[in-house]
Amino acid sequence: GNPAGKGSASRGGSRSIMFMQYQAEFQAVASEAATKLQNAKAYSDNPMHAQTRPEILRSAEPLLKQACDLVKQMDVEVRSAEGGQRRLLSERARPIRDELKRLQSDFREIQERLDRENLLGGARIGSNDAVVRGRLADANVRAQQQTQIIRGALEIAHDTEQVAMDITSELERNRETITNIRGHIADTSGALGTARSLIASMQKREVQQKAILSFVAIILLGSIGTVMYYAFK
């Protein structure tokens, strides 16, 4: 067997095992985070649980960070894989990234709603301080806009990284195709060389057979001439 091929296969199997371990851990962490966020959403319309939502968000935040770190580890395994395995792991990682984005979006949505409630309803400032409330609301809007800009930049960076990974996978496929074509060309060249040798051998035999037939014909003609000579003598 090929030691290099066996080593590559061994590394590939190790990559796949590590990826599946990260995937299982992510699913457990993501499930716990999703449950907490669903509870926070359910408490949004219940004044009795107004103090509970911040606690839920604080407990969900480290889970989301852990999930993000696990996705980064899976991306490392994808980039370290080769050929067909990289494509397979990349396809498995795509829905996981989508789930992480959804959880992060839910967290931000609940956090922003809670912030608005604290600014506009929770802070019991007097009715004569409407101007202050307006300024706070404007500041909150500007902060949200800046957050959206940063979030968009991060998403663009992540999408760019994904495009780079897809391009790398495509280059790997093209390299495999070119390698296969070269192998076919080498096989074809070998077959052509064999065919040329066979044709040359057949041509040589044909020349030999013609020479033999000519020699036999000469002998036959000589024999016939000799027989006729003695027959009419």
Side-chain angles (χ1 to χ4, degrees):
N2 185 357
K6 291 181 180 178
S8 177
S10 177
R11 288 193 298 272
S14 177
R15 296 290 179 197
S16 180
I17 292 172
M18 290 298 298
F19 182 92
M20 288 188 292
Q21 289 176 349
Y22 290 135
Q23 182 180 12
E25 189 173 352
F26 171 85
Q27 289 171 345
V29 172
S31 176
E32 185 178 355
T35 299
K36 290 182 179 295
L37 294 176
Q38 288 172 1
N39 290 337
K41 284 184 178 181
Y43 294 159
S44 297
D45 298 325
N46 191 337
M48 295 181 61
H49 296 92
Q51 301 298 322
T52 306
R53 282 181 294 159
E55 296 176 2
I56 294 176
L57 290 180
R58 281 195 296 270
S59 63
E61 189 171 7
L63 291 174
L64 291 178
K65 184 179 183 304
Q66 184 180 357
C68 184
D69 291 339
L70 288 168
V71 169
K72 290 179 182 178
Q73 291 295 329
M74 282 186 272
D75 286 340
V76 170
E77 296 301 323
V78 172
R79 288 193 295 269
S80 301
E82 297 178 356
Q85 189 187 41
R86 175 182 291 179
R87 293 193 295 273
L88 176 62
L89 295 182
S90 180
E91 289 298 322
R92 289 184 180 178
R94 186 169 288 113
I96 294 174
R97 294 191 199 97
D98 292 340
E99 184 175 359
L100 176 62
K101 288 182 180 179
R102 180 181 59 79
L103 292 173
Q104 290 173 331
S105 177
D106 290 344
F107 178 87
R108 288 191 295 264
E109 179 183 346
I110 298 170
Q111 183 67 65
E112 290 169 2
R113 180 173 179 179
L114 186 60
D115 291 341
R116 286 195 300 270
E117 291 175 358
N118 289 336
L119 284 171
L120 301 178
R124 296 183 177 279
I125 49 182
S127 58
N128 58 339
D129 291 332
V131 175
V132 177
R133 280 202 301 271
R135 289 178 179 175
L136 290 173
D138 291 340
N140 185 48
V141 170
R142 286 195 297 272
Q144 289 181 8
Q145 290 174 344
Q146 292 173 354
T147 301
Q148 290 289 344
I149 292 172
I150 295 172
R151 189 182 306 154
L154 291 174
E155 290 180 355
I156 290 173
H158 186 274
D159 291 342
T160 302
E161 181 183 8
Q162 180 61 37
V163 170
M165 291 177 61
D166 292 340
I167 291 174
T168 302
S169 298
E170 184 65 26
L171 291 174
E172 285 285 344
R173 288 195 293 271
N174 292 339
R175 187 175 69 176
E176 291 176 2
T177 301
I178 292 172
T179 302
N180 292 334
I181 290 174
R182 286 177 177 172
H184 291 321
I185 291 174
D187 293 341
T188 303
S189 298
L192 287 174
T194 303
R196 289 194 186 99
S197 300
L198 182 60
I199 291 172
S201 177
M202 292 174 65
Q203 289 175 341
K204 185 177 180 181
R205 288 181 183 177
E206 183 179 1
V207 171
Q208 292 174 346
Q209 288 175 353
K210 286 182 178 178
I212 293 171
L213 289 174
S214 299
F215 180 72
V216 171
I218 291 172
I219 292 176
L220 287 174
L221 289 173
S223 299
I224 293 172
T226 302
V227 171
M228 292 180 64
Y229 172 77
Y230 285 106
F232 292 102
K233 185 177 179 181

